[in-house]
Amino acid sequence: MVDCVICRIVAGGIPARLVHQDDRAIAFHDINPQAPFHVLVVPRVHIPRLADLDDEALGGHLLGVVRKVAADAGYEENFRIVVNNGDLAGQAVGHLHLHVLAGRRFTWPPG
Ligand code: 5GP
Ligand code: ZN
């Protein structure tokens, strides 16, 4: 059993501001938001990073949840998804999560 902050949130052991939950995924507000709207979409099962995801249906489902949480908050026209995969890419939490950011202008290239 891995000691994982996102598994703990999924299990209800750590409180989070949930915006979506279903049988395969949940979504909740990031504790350190980088935009007015910053939600993490995560699979319920422990998958360390995107490179470990081998379930195409689950990947598609996560993208659908991204669209839903953005639309539910009124941001269906302008939002950004970020998935950090690996240390060099900035991944700090080892459970796959899709950042959904909205509510301000974003620049490119990312830092
Ligand atoms: P990463 O850098 O791994 O792509 O992103 C991890 C994200 O998880 C960060 O944005 C961080 O603020 C968020 N985070 C870390 N611990 C917690 C927590 O206990 N609760 C919530 N809601 N977010 C967390
Ligand atoms: Zn986990």
Side-chain angles (χ1 to χ4, degrees):
M1 185 70 188
V2 288
D3 186 15
C4 168
V5 64
I6 289 180
C7 282
R8 287 184 179 206
I9 290 170
V10 168
I14 296 176
R17 292 169 54 210
L18 291 172
V19 295
H20 174 87
Q21 47 186 326
D22 62 49
D23 59 334
R24 285 176 285 173
I26 70 168
F28 53 89
H29 286 277
D30 196 291
I31 203 168
N32 183 23
Q34 302 302 309
F37 182 81
H38 185 174
V39 158
L40 303 177
V41 174
V42 309
R44 286 187 181 273
V45 294
H46 182 81
I47 298 169
R49 55 185 188 156
L50 183 60
D52 301 305
L53 175 65
D54 59 5
D55 183 337
E56 289 184 12
L58 178 58
H61 180 70
L62 294 172
L63 288 177
V65 173
V66 165
R67 291 177 55 184
K68 178 181 180 297
V69 298
D72 286 351
Y75 294 116
E76 62 270 22
E77 298 297 330
N78 293 284
F79 62 87
R80 177 175 284 187
I81 306 173
V82 174
V83 181
N84 298 320
N85 186 100
D87 295 344
L88 291 181
Q91 183 175 5
V93 173
H95 180 132
L96 173 60
H97 50 283
L98 287 66
H99 297 258
V100 188
L101 301 134
R104 66 171 170 85
R105 177 174 293 277
F106 297 102
T107 57
W108 195 263

